[in-house]
């Protein structure tokens, strides 16, 4: 990697009250202070791989340079969240920020929650929060809601790949789970772990689970623990990020561009083949010596790993999906 032009991912463990756009701004500021951002036509692009609300914490993948060409792919990736539903009150924003709109004295038991969870696993339909970034007639839903405009949010299909109760009695450092919460104990809150498809609103999921339990609720805690291939183990704090601007080597915190493509195969091209793809040309599958029967998307590399393009093999022809200028 050219030290003056870093391309790759910084995985930020986003703190509370920091917006995704602010997080991108913080990365740009540190790159600028480190003399790495560049200027004019050489200025590096920086973007994020999936919005995370200011009241949420956890993984926010931030793409730098050529990795920004993969942001759309990251947006489409599945995510894992931990979230807590506080029972007894529903708010206009479906989280702790909004005013209470409905209350209930009913409280579910752990057995109730575990019985309802399967109803929200698999393909489901949900109504997004009216306080969301979805556009309605060209305007953000939250802008309309804040202006007092009646907003009709339409059902949308999403997939909940898994949904489980996170038992708070898991002892740190131990594999043993001691079930201290009794099945018939009335709960003020419950924490769940969900693996979801793109477009899923956890706040809506929490609202609907609470209503299915004959009560109301809202999200009191939300943490993203995985986004696509990225996990919390790869994430750095805002303090660590700020070390880059103070002179720390960015390579200590930067994951390579290809880290965002670890779910697809890679194939190393010859110099001539790489040159053709960089020129926007196609390749014949039969010309790819050593081709391990690739099919569909793959990462085309050169010189044992240097990214050339996100490519696709369709009916014997290799075409460029996104080219990388590195």
């Amino acid at each position: 990697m050219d030290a003056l032009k870093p391309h790759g991912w910084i995985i930020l463990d986003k703190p509370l009250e920091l917006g995704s756009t602010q997080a991108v701004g913080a990365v740009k500021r540190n790159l600028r202070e480190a003399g790495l951002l560049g200027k004019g036509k050489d200025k590096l692009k920086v973007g994020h791989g999936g919005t995370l609300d200011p009241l949420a914490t956890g993984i926010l993948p931030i793409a730098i340079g050529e990795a920004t060409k993969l942001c759309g792919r990251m947006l489409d990736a599945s995510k894992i969240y931990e979230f807590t539903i506080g029972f007894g009150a529903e708010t206009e924003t479906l989280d702790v920020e909004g005013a209470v709109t409905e209350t209930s004295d009913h409280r579910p038991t752990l057995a109730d929650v575990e019985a309802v969870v399967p109803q929200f696993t698999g393909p489901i339909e949900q109504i997004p929060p009216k306080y969301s970034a979805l556009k309605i007639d060209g305007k953000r839903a939250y802008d309309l809601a804040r202006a007092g405009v009646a907003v009709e949010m339409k059902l949308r299909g999403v997939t909940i790949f898994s949904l489980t109760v996170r038992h708070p009695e898991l002892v740190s450092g131990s594999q043993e789970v001691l079930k201290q919460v009794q099945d018939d104990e009335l709960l003020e809150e419950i924490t769940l772990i969900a693996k979801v498809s793109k477009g899923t609103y956890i706040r809506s999921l929490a609202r609907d689970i609470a209503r299915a339990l004959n009560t109301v609720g809202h999200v009191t805690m939300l943490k993203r623990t995985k986004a696509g291939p990225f996990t919390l183990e790869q994430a750095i704090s805002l303090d660590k990020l700020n070390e880059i601007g103070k002179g720390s080597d960015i390579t200590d915190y930067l994951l390579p561009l290809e880290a965002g493509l670890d779910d697809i195969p890679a194939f190393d091209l010859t110099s001539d083949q790489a040159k053709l793809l960089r020129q926007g040309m196609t390749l014949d599958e039969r010309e790819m010596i050593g081709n391990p029967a690739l099919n569909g998307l793959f990462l085309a590399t050169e010189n044992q790993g240097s990214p050339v393009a996100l490519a696709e093999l369709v009916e014997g022809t290799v075409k460029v999906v996104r080219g990388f200028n590195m």
Side-chain angles (χ1 to χ4, degrees):
M1 179 190 300
D2 184 344
L4 296 178
K5 291 186 177 181
H7 303 282
W9 301 91
I10 286 180
I11 313 304
L12 184 65
D13 187 354
K14 191 190 81 64
L16 274 173
E17 299 183 354
L18 183 74
S20 300
T21 301
Q22 291 174 304
V24 169
V27 171
K28 288 182 177 179
R29 173 176 53 79
N30 278 279
L31 290 173
R32 186 181 301 110
E33 291 174 355
L36 298 171
L37 188 61
K39 296 180 180 180
K41 64 179 182 179
D42 292 327
K43 187 175 181 179
L44 283 173
K45 291 183 178 179
V46 181
H48 63 74
T51 301
L52 200 55
D53 291 343
L55 293 181
T57 64
I59 290 179
L60 180 63
I62 297 180
I64 298 174
E66 291 297 287
T68 57
K69 295 177 178 179
L70 300 176
C71 282
R73 181 177 170 81
M74 191 56 57
L75 291 173
D76 290 342
S78 63
K79 315 288 194 303
I80 296 179
Y81 295 90
E82 289 187 10
F83 64 103
T84 300
I85 308 172
F87 296 117
E90 185 174 302
T91 69
E92 60 181 0
T93 58
L94 304 182
D95 58 23
V96 297
E97 190 176 41
V100 173
T101 56
E102 190 175 347
T103 61
S104 172
D105 292 330
H106 180 70
R107 298 293 183 272
T109 65
L110 180 60
D112 292 334
V113 174
E114 292 182 328
V116 159
V117 158
Q119 299 177 25
F120 295 91
T121 305
I124 67 168
E125 289 188 322
Q126 62 175 198
I127 298 176
K130 62 180 180 180
Y131 283 86
S132 66
L134 283 176
K135 285 190 175 182
I136 300 176
D137 296 329
K139 296 183 178 180
R140 298 290 185 186
Y142 56 66
D143 288 332
L144 295 172
R146 288 167 183 161
V149 178
V151 178
E152 181 183 355
M153 307 302 291
K154 297 181 179 180
L155 276 171
R156 59 190 291 167
V158 298
T159 301
I160 312 299
F161 300 109
S162 64
L163 181 64
T164 57
V165 173
R166 192 198 76 183
H167 295 289
E169 57 279 6
L170 180 62
V171 179
S172 178
S174 170
Q175 296 300 312
E176 183 179 8
V177 175
L178 305 176
K179 200 166 186 179
Q180 297 171 348
V181 177
Q182 301 301 312
D183 285 347
D184 59 354
E185 180 181 339
L186 297 181
L187 302 174
E188 292 297 325
E189 62 178 30
I190 192 74
T191 299
L192 303 172
I193 302 172
K195 181 179 181 180
V196 303
S197 70
K198 69 171 183 176
T200 302
Y201 281 92
I202 298 298
R203 288 176 291 154
S204 294
L205 182 62
R207 173 200 60 205
D208 296 343
I209 290 172
R211 290 180 179 180
L213 291 164
N214 298 313
T215 185
V216 291
H218 63 281
V219 171
T220 61
M221 184 280 292
L222 177 61
K223 186 178 185 69
R224 187 155 67 193
T225 59
K226 189 174 183 182
F230 301 123
T231 65
L232 280 173
E233 286 70 27
Q234 299 164 302
I236 64 172
S237 67
L238 197 57
D239 287 342
K240 287 288 187 182
L241 173 65
N242 291 335
E243 291 299 315
I244 297 172
K246 297 176 182 177
S248 290
D249 189 346
I250 191 174
T251 59
D252 291 341
Y253 310 108
L254 189 71
L255 298 180
L257 175 150
E258 55 268 30
L261 296 171
D262 74 343
D263 59 335
I264 63 173
F267 184 78
D268 209 48
L269 305 174
T270 66
S271 295
D272 288 340
Q273 291 169 339
K275 183 178 180 180
L276 287 173
L277 285 191
R278 288 192 177 103
Q279 293 173 343
M281 306 294 284
T282 61
L283 298 177
D284 189 313
E285 177 185 19
R286 292 169 296 182
E287 298 173 356
M288 298 173 64
I289 300 173
N291 176 11
L294 290 171
N295 191 32
L297 286 173
F298 69 99
L299 174 62
T301 63
E302 182 185 16
N303 297 326
Q304 286 73 52
S306 179
V308 173
L310 176 62
E312 186 173 20
L313 176 58
V314 180
E315 296 179 351
T317 300
V318 175
K319 300 179 180 180
V320 173
V321 176
R322 297 306 299 259
F324 304 123
N325 299 314
M326 298 175 64

